[in-house]
Amino acid sequence: MLPEYLQSILACPICTGELSLFDEGRSMLCRPCGVTFPIREGIPVLLADEAEALPPGDAGEDSP
C-alpha cells in the first residue's frame, strides 16, 4: 500500500491529473484519461507506455 503522502503528490504522466488507488491497490487510476498504471513491488510505474485503458463501461468505481 502506498503511503497517503505519496499518493497526494503523484500525478498522471499523460494529463497531470490526480491519481487514485484502483484494483485493491494494485494500480493507480487516472479518471480523466480512463487509464490505470501498475504498482509493482510497491512502486507506481507512471510511464505512459505502461498505461492500460479501462474496459468499456468500467468507470473505476472500486477505488477506495
Side-chain angles (χ1 to χ4, degrees):
M1 185 62 100
L2 291 176
E4 281 191 38
Y5 76 90
L6 182 56
Q7 293 177 43
S8 68
I9 62 172
L10 295 177
C12 174
I14 300 169
C15 72
T16 68
E18 184 177 320
L19 296 171
S20 58
L21 287 176
F22 184 68
D23 194 23
E24 299 178 359
R26 290 184 289 232
S27 60
M28 298 201 79
L29 169 68
C30 175
R31 289 183 194 282
C33 293
V35 297
T36 62
F37 299 92
I39 297 175
R40 295 186 186 131
E41 298 181 18
I43 301 170
V45 182
L46 300 179
L47 300 172
D49 290 345
E50 295 284 335
E52 293 185 18
L54 288 173
D58 188 345
E61 298 300 326
D62 74 346
S63 61

